[in-house]
């Protein structure tokens, strides 16, 4: 699916999996039918690269965060802009909590401003009008590079540029738990379907599986390239990882050794059992369909690809 002029930054399925949202380093957010790859529409309004996108539980609203120093709320069906929240620096991550009533987003540390995590309650129109979040958490030391809501919307799990992972309470803003398993920048965090686990992808060439509540480190999946994104299968004990070297270095390596494949690992045995080729550059984001029968990937080449698994995939068992 080609609807972007620049490299893809994030893709996200809605809960039913019939829609796939994609955002890129151009100002347009797209929504596609995942079953046939047809474009349903676009959300127009941003003036800079769009870093993140999220959709609420009942696919009513869409949230996007952009480098034009704004976070915007859209009506999913009509594409109408419902709210515009201005920030002092680029919005790097965003997300709806379980109820769809509370949104969080984090801003970048740039132009003399430090990184903040902001929480808004959409049920209170005054917060939106005044652009005043009910909770702001300053992250002065290391900026937040990826963040997701934990179970029940009680806390947010945030990954930082130094490899640290923190749990921030969505009520008080305090740090509930910390983990430091990665040695470098965390590129992506995605949760399992039931939100009990999450996987983090890092520039230190690994993806790691954690327990959401305790932040206990469970598994590590190693590669020889930076991992840009990783996702947990909703139906099998599998994880998929996408990556490749830094976008700047792509032109200096031949496509044969560029290793731009999506890589599949067994979640329990930590062993790689498959690779899927396709992109002409590093894969920036991967996502499993909520039914586990397909997955999609977005690349530096500006394309989003949806892959359907063969029937053999569901019978496959790794020989231990």
């Amino acid at each position: 699916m080609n609807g972007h002029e620049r490299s893809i930054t994030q893709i996200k399925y809605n809960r039913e999996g019939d829609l796939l949202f994609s955002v890129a380093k151009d100002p347009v957010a797209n929504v596609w039918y995942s079953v046939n790859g047809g474009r349903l529409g676009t959300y127009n309004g941003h003036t800079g690269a769009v870093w993140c996108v999220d959709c609420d539980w009942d696919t009513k609203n869409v949230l996007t965060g952009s480098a034009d120093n704004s976070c915007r709320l859209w009506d999913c069906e009509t594409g109408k802009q419902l709210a515009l929240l201005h920030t002092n620096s680029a919005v790097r991550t965003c997300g709806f909590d379980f109820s769809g009533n509370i949104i969080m987003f984090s801003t970048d540390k740039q132009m003399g401003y430090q990184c903040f995590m902001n929480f808004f309650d959409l049920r209170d129109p005054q917060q939106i009008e005044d652009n005043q979040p009910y909770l702001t958490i300053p992250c002065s030391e290391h900026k937040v590079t990826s963040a997701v809501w934990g179970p029940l919307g009680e806390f947010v799990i945030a990954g930082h540029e130094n490899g640290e992972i923190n749990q921030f309470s969505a009520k008080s803003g305090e740090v509930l738990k910390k983990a430091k398993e990665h040695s470098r920048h965390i590129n992506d965090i995605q949760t399992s379907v039931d939100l009990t686990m999450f996987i983090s992808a890092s520039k230190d060439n690994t993806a790691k599986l954690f327990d959401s509540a305790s932040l206990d480190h469970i598994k590590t999946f190693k590669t020889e390239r930076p991992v840009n994104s990783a996702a947990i299968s909703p139906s099998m004990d599998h994880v998929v990882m996408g990556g490749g070297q830094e976008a700047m270095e792509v032109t200096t390596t031949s496509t044969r050794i560029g290793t731009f494949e999506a890589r599949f690992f067994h979640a329990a045995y930590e062993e790689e059992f498959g690779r899927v080729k396709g992109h002409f550059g590093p894969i920036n984001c991967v996502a499993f369909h909520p039914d586990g029968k397909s997955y999609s990937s977005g690349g530096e080449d500006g394309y989003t690809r949806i892959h359907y698994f063969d029937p053999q995939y569901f019978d496959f068992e790794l020989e231990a």
Side-chain angles (χ1 to χ4, degrees), residues 266-284:
H266 194 284
Y269 303 129
E270 303 182 3
E271 280 184 32
E272 184 177 357
F273 64 84
R275 293 188 183 192
V276 177
K277 287 192 173 76
H279 285 283
F280 298 108
I283 294 176
N284 291 342

Side-chain angles (χ1 to χ4, degrees), residues 78-95:
T78 62
K80 184 169 162 264
Q81 183 175 301
L82 302 175
L84 166 60
L85 301 166
H86 287 287
T87 57
N88 290 326
S89 54
V91 176
R92 179 67 55 174
T93 65
C94 64

Side-chain angles (χ1 to χ4, degrees), residues 18-287:
D18 58 333
L19 300 180
L20 177 66
F21 298 89
S22 67
V23 292
K25 290 180 183 169
D26 57 22
V28 179
N30 282 322
V31 54
W32 312 82
Y33 286 118
S34 65
V35 78
N36 59 6
R39 178 151 63 169
L40 175 59
T42 57
Y43 302 98
N44 298 321
H46 281 296
T47 56
V50 186
W51 289 118
C52 53
V53 62
D54 196 23
C55 166
D56 61 6
W57 174 258
D58 47 11
T59 321
K60 212 168 86 199
N61 297 330
V62 179
L63 189 66
T64 54
S66 163
D68 64 6
N69 299 2
S70 75
C71 185
R72 295 173 196 240
L73 186 71
W74 312 85
D75 182 303
C76 181
E77 193 179 356
T78 62
K80 184 169 162 264
Q81 183 175 301
L82 302 175
L84 166 60
L85 301 166
H86 287 287
T87 57
N88 290 326
S89 54
V91 176
R92 179 67 55 174
T93 65
C94 64
F96 288 98
D97 79 333
F98 202 59
S99 65
N101 291 325
I102 296 181
I103 59 169
M104 65 88 187
F105 59 88
S106 75
T107 59
D108 269 356
K109 186 172 155 185
Q110 68 193 62
M111 299 185 307
Y113 295 102
Q114 64 178 22
C115 165
F116 288 105
M117 291 213 49
N118 296 311
F119 293 81
F120 283 88
D121 191 328
L122 298 177
R123 291 165 295 192
D124 178 5
Q126 202 59 44
Q127 287 183 22
I128 307 290
E129 268 175 47
D130 302 345
N131 206 6
Q132 277 301 322
Y134 76 84
L135 176 63
T136 297
I137 308 171
C139 312
S140 48
E141 289 179 12
H142 301 285
K143 78 166 186 188
V144 174
T145 50
S146 184
V148 289
W149 281 93
L152 303 176
E154 288 168 2
F155 54 82
V156 166
I157 299 161
H160 298 261
E161 59 185 347
N162 64 337
E164 231 175 63
I165 294 175
N166 288 333
Q167 263 183 17
F168 293 108
S169 162
K171 292 180 180 64
S172 65
E174 62 185 320
V175 177
L176 304 174
K177 292 200 173 63
K178 280 186 174 190
K180 179 86 167 70
E181 296 289 340
H182 286 292
S183 57
R184 293 186 63 194
H185 188 107
I186 291 175
N187 289 323
D188 185 31
I189 290 182
Q190 293 193 34
T191 52
S192 58
V193 166
D194 57 4
L195 301 183
T196 55
M197 297 186 298
F198 67 91
I199 190 164
S200 58
S202 166
K203 275 189 180 169
D204 65 7
N205 301 1
T206 64
K208 292 178 190 275
L209 204 58
F210 293 87
D211 181 280
S212 297
S214 65
L215 287 196
D216 288 341
H217 173 221
I218 309 170
K219 299 283 179 191
T220 299
F221 310 98
K222 295 191 177 86
T223 68
E224 61 290 333
R225 298 258 184 242
V227 184
N228 293 338
S229 181
I232 304 170
S233 167
S235 57
M236 310 278 281
D237 293 329
H238 297 163
V239 299
V240 61
M241 287 153 54
Q245 70 273 63
E246 303 272 334
M248 316 183 281
E249 298 165 13
V250 169
T251 50
T252 57
T253 45
S254 89
T255 44
R256 274 203 319 280
I257 41 182
T259 60
F260 304 133
E261 303 111 332
R263 306 172 68 160
F264 285 83
F265 283 77
H266 194 284
Y269 303 129
E270 303 182 3
E271 280 184 32
E272 184 177 357
F273 64 84
R275 293 188 183 192
V276 177
K277 287 192 173 76
H279 285 283
F280 298 108
I283 294 176
N284 291 342
C285 42
V286 289

